[in-house]
Amino acid sequence: MGSVTVLSNDSIPKVLSDIVANETNHALWLNTLSLLEHLGSRKILLTQSSEETSEMILKHATEEARHALFFKKAARTIKPSFQLGYQNSALVRGTAARIYFAKLDTLVRRSLRKVFTDEKQFTYLAYLYTTTVIEKRAMVVYEAYDEILDKTGSPIRLTNLILEEEGHLSEMSAEMFRLDPGAKERLAALEAEEAKIFVRFWLQIREFSLN
């Protein structure tokens, strides 16, 4: 999970340190993480709700929604007056965050559509790949962020959330390799493309942190 690299080795911790140092910006950042988790939960429910909805899918959608709530509440821990929704003014580069999520989803669907013609299999694999790629990225950010929270003595910690994300990744990896013989190569290719999308998103986060 930590093998995904982007920009320079210290870019993510440096940007996050700058954000955490400002109370208002920190609350906006937490709300942005809440948005991304909410988008994930909503996407799962929209695409995977059927007669065949499994316990894994329900568990995953529920945990993503709970993570969205966790980050929303954490924003209020940092800034008690924070009572905002997901307006762009309540986020760190909200439009860029939404574009990152949408582009990643489109990237995965285009890649899989060329190979998997059965609609049910395509939809399920798109869920597995999109979620896996975005959660592998989230783990890189969350682990760096949690270290900063620890060093600064923050009351917020991501230990349990990270453990749950690791559980998601393990479950989805098993499913991908069961259903797709080319999973190893396909996942590596998608991660390489995701890195390009993430760089564009993170550069905007970095720009925000410098203002």
Side-chain angles (χ1 to χ4, degrees), residues 127-139:
Y127 150 68
L128 293 172
Y129 275 104
T130 300
T131 309
T132 296
V133 173
I134 202 167
E135 288 198 353
K136 289 186 79 171
R137 174 61 65 194
M139 289 295 288

Side-chain angles (χ1 to χ4, degrees), residues 155-197:
I156 301 164
R157 293 303 305 276
L158 307 187
T159 308
N160 291 337
L161 188 148
I162 288 171
L163 286 173
E164 287 184 347
E165 297 286 17
E166 287 177 341
H168 295 167
L169 284 169
S170 178
E171 290 175 334
M172 289 182 294
S173 176
E175 280 288 272
M176 275 191 302
F177 281 86
R178 181 178 70 84
L179 295 170
D180 181 8
K184 182 178 180 181
E185 295 77 12
R186 200 178 321 282
L187 182 59
L190 288 170
E191 284 187 77
E193 290 303 310
E194 180 275 340
K196 300 173 188 176
I197 300 171

Side-chain angles (χ1 to χ4, degrees), residues 2 22 66 78 84 89 111 113 116-117 130 149 156 168 197:
N22 181 292
R66 184 157 45 78
I78 297 299
L84 301 172
S89 59
S111 172
R113 184 64 80 181
F116 299 97
T117 56
T130 300
L149 293 173
I156 301 164
H168 295 167
I197 300 171

Side-chain angles (χ1 to χ4, degrees), residues 62-78:
T62 300
E63 288 180 349
E64 295 292 285
R66 184 157 45 78
H67 294 171
L69 179 60
F70 167 82
F71 283 124
K72 180 76 78 171
K73 287 183 174 180
R76 203 165 63 250
T77 298
I78 297 299

Side-chain angles (χ1 to χ4, degrees), residues 33-76:
L33 295 178
S34 177
L35 167 69
L36 289 168
E37 294 282 354
H38 170 65
L39 290 175
S41 176
R42 186 175 67 180
K43 183 71 175 178
I44 293 168
L45 292 173
L46 284 173
T47 63
Q48 301 303 311
S49 295
S50 71
E51 294 177 346
E52 299 174 5
T53 300
S54 66
E55 181 180 342
M56 182 188 81
I57 289 170
L58 287 173
K59 176 173 173 276
H60 189 194
T62 300
E63 288 180 349
E64 295 292 285
R66 184 157 45 78
H67 294 171
L69 179 60
F70 167 82
F71 283 124
K72 180 76 78 171
K73 287 183 174 180
R76 203 165 63 250

